[in-house]
Amino acid sequence: MRLMDIVHIPIIALIQLGFTCLWNLKIRKRAFNRLNIWLIAGFGTLFNVWGLDVIQREFVVDSLGNMLVVSAGCWLVFVVATTAKYYAVYGWSKREFWLDYGGDLLAFLLSGTLIYFAT
């Protein structure tokens, strides 16, 4: 794989990180105010974007609609399936779930759209 084939990944990850920061600031009323928060969130978004890119390439996603299905499916399979059990165990509300992970769904869809157009 050439550098030009992956240069979009960190760029899209930065866009997703910015979206996540805004979601947390405006919707959750939580600021990214420490370096470790930025680093961990940046690490997570980089791997979100990389994973979506790998899946898009391996399954040869050939339309924006299919890429949105892949993005939503990845969110459902990896984010929701993993997180829902903790919400059930700790008794957190559905409202809290959507406030926390609704932004991730939008971030996955945004990233999938950008990956589609970048590749």
Side-chain angles (χ1 to χ4, degrees):
M1 186 175 290
R2 299 177 328 209
L3 178 61
M4 292 308 295
D5 292 337
I6 61 170
V7 73
H8 65 281
I9 293 173
I11 295 167
I12 295 171
L14 285 173
I15 293 168
Q16 183 183 10
L17 179 61
F19 176 84
T20 300
C21 177
L22 283 173
W23 177 272
N24 277 282
L25 188 62
K26 300 295 182 184
I27 304 298
R28 294 300 287 152
K29 309 295 188 224
R30 296 178 184 159
F32 283 21
N33 54 9
R34 294 190 324 260
L35 179 60
N36 68 328
I37 293 172
W38 282 101
L39 292 174
I40 292 168
F43 184 78
T45 59
L46 182 65
F47 280 99
N48 286 160
V49 171
W50 175 75
L52 284 172
D53 187 71
V54 167
I55 290 168
Q56 182 258 354
R57 288 174 189 271
E58 290 299 316
F59 289 101
V60 190
V61 177
D62 59 357
S63 72
L64 179 58
N66 287 341
M67 188 60 197
L68 292 175
V69 169
V70 167
S71 299
C74 286
W75 173 79
L76 183 64
V77 169
F78 300 117
V79 177
V80 173
T82 301
T83 310
K85 62 187 171 201
Y86 296 112
Y87 273 76
V89 168
Y90 296 117
W92 295 331
S93 72
K94 289 179 184 143
R95 179 182 182 278
E96 288 294 312
F97 175 85
W98 283 107
L99 287 172
D100 285 340
Y101 296 101
D104 280 339
L105 173 58
L106 297 176
F108 268 71
L109 294 173
L110 171 65
S111 295
T113 300
L114 295 173
I115 289 167
Y116 176 78
F117 286 116
T119 56

